[in-house]
Amino acid sequence: QRTLEQLLNDKTVTRLNPPESFGGAVELVAFSIPATTAKGGDTVTLIAFWRVLDPNQLGERALVNYAPEANLFLHAINSEGNLIAGSDRLHVPAWNWHSGDTFAQIHRVVLPKDARGTLRLTMWIYTLPDLTRLPYPDGDADTVYLTSIQVVP
């Protein structure tokens, strides 16, 4: 079993320096994308590496599950700003987050068969059930641009 630091030192991992903090609750530390070229219909995989800062920043605890819930979202956006594909998930439940915890989330985005050109991959985190995006300290933005992929015929 490898530590987060060992994973982050892998040559396929892009480390964010400084990490992108979302609402003071969690920060995106790094990501890995095995391929930056794809064809329409392919599945693009991205692994995001996170560190929990302060889970209380997610907000009030829900009465049903006794904790706030959060989702991570990865979008593939075309040059006109249109959503082409997305992945909305969190396999590390926020109710069990503790400051200092780290986790990796695998996102798989299936591209439409007719997708072509450059797609920007963006990520954010939002709370449930209110769908409020957590901001990060970079002004009014709430979405982080990670990288681009090229979709070829």
Side-chain angles (χ1 to χ4, degrees), residues 58-70:
L58 292 175
E60 295 291 320
R61 296 181 181 265
L63 295 177
V64 175
N65 61 6
Y66 306 105
E69 293 197 33

Side-chain angles (χ1 to χ4, degrees), residues 12-16 28-33 46-49 146-147:
T12 64
V13 173
T14 301
R15 202 171 191 155
L16 302 177
L28 179 60
V29 176
F31 67 91
S32 176
I33 183 165
L46 181 136
I47 303 170
F49 299 93
L146 299 178
T147 191

Side-chain angles (χ1 to χ4, degrees), residues 138-151:
D138 202 14
D140 295 327
D142 56 14
T143 303
V144 174
Y145 164 72
L146 299 178
T147 191
S148 293
I149 59 169
Q150 189 63 36
V151 183

Side-chain angles (χ1 to χ4, degrees), residues 41-42 83 125 142:
D42 283 356
L83 172 65
I125 185 170
D142 56 14

Side-chain angles (χ1 to χ4, degrees), residues 72-118:
L72 307 173
F73 208 114
L74 177 71
H75 272 174
I77 308 291
N78 68 11
S79 60
E80 290 82 36
N82 298 316
L83 172 65
I84 301 301
S87 170
D88 182 0
R89 64 187 62 240
L90 179 59
H91 290 167
V92 180
W95 59 263
N96 199 29
W97 285 2
H98 301 280
S99 296
D101 285 352
T102 57
F103 63 93
Q105 176 65 59
I106 300 171
H107 291 271
R108 292 183 181 91
V109 176
V110 179
L111 300 175
K113 291 185 187 278
D114 61 349
R116 298 288 183 273
T118 302

